[in-house]
Every structure is written in structure tokens, then in C-alpha cells.
Amino acid sequence: MTILLYKDGRLLIDDGNPLENVSLDGLLVCVTDPTEGQVLTFDGTMWTNKDATGLVADVSEPTEGQVLTYDGSKWTNANLPAGGE
């Protein structure tokens, strides 16, 4: 399934048949073969669907007072450094 949403509000859905001769001018969202757990991400031009792996915080067993911290490759839950507010 492909879903195209244009800036002017037009919505095209392929309903199982390929979309042919479709202009991409003004395309805002392009969702192709969506699967459970995917998220919409902006690629600088339009919104597309992608797997959420690595895109969302990896929070495991959070405890009160922890904060989200970026470790250089992903977001994780962590305790505040000593003296932090």
C-alpha cells in the first residue's frame, strides 16, 4: 500500500494497484507498505515511514528522577550526574 498526501490536501491511496503517472510536486507525506511500529520521519523534503529502531529513546526500567541522556548514538535513561539539577 502506498499513501500520498499533498500540501494542497489531496490524498492518494493505491488500494493494491500501482500509482502511475503521479506527480510528486507538492508531496508532503509518502507512506509505503506501512508496518506495525513504524514512525513518520521528516527527511528534509517530505515525511516518510521508517522503522523506529534507533530513532526513539531506549528507556529500560526507568526510575524516579532519571533523565533522558544522549550517549552519542542513541537516547537512554540515566541518573543525573552528581551536582546536576
Side-chain angles (χ1 to χ4, degrees), residues 19-23:
L19 295 171
E20 296 180 4
N21 301 321
V22 175
S23 172

Side-chain angles (χ1 to χ4, degrees), residues 2 4 17 25 36-37 59:
T2 300
L4 304 178
N17 298 310
D25 290 335
E36 184 176 338
V59 178

Side-chain angles (χ1 to χ4, degrees), residues 2-83:
T2 300
I3 302 168
L4 304 178
L5 176 62
Y6 291 85
K7 292 177 183 176
D8 63 8
R10 287 179 294 141
L11 177 66
L12 296 175
I13 302 174
D14 70 3
D15 71 0
N17 298 310
L19 295 171
E20 296 180 4
N21 301 321
V22 175
S23 172
L24 300 181
D25 290 335
L27 186 62
L28 181 62
V29 178
C30 178
V31 177
T32 55
D33 299 322
T35 59
E36 184 176 338
Q38 287 187 323
V39 296
L40 288 177
T41 60
F42 189 69
D43 69 5
T45 305
M46 73 178 118
W47 290 90
T48 59
N49 57 309
K50 295 192 180 216
D51 291 331
T53 305
L55 297 177
V56 295
D58 182 17
V59 178
S60 57
E61 301 181 27
T63 59
E64 186 175 339
Q66 286 188 320
V67 297
L68 285 176
T69 305
Y70 188 69
D71 70 4
S73 64
K74 66 182 177 191
W75 289 93
T76 60
N77 55 309
N79 294 319
L80 279 173

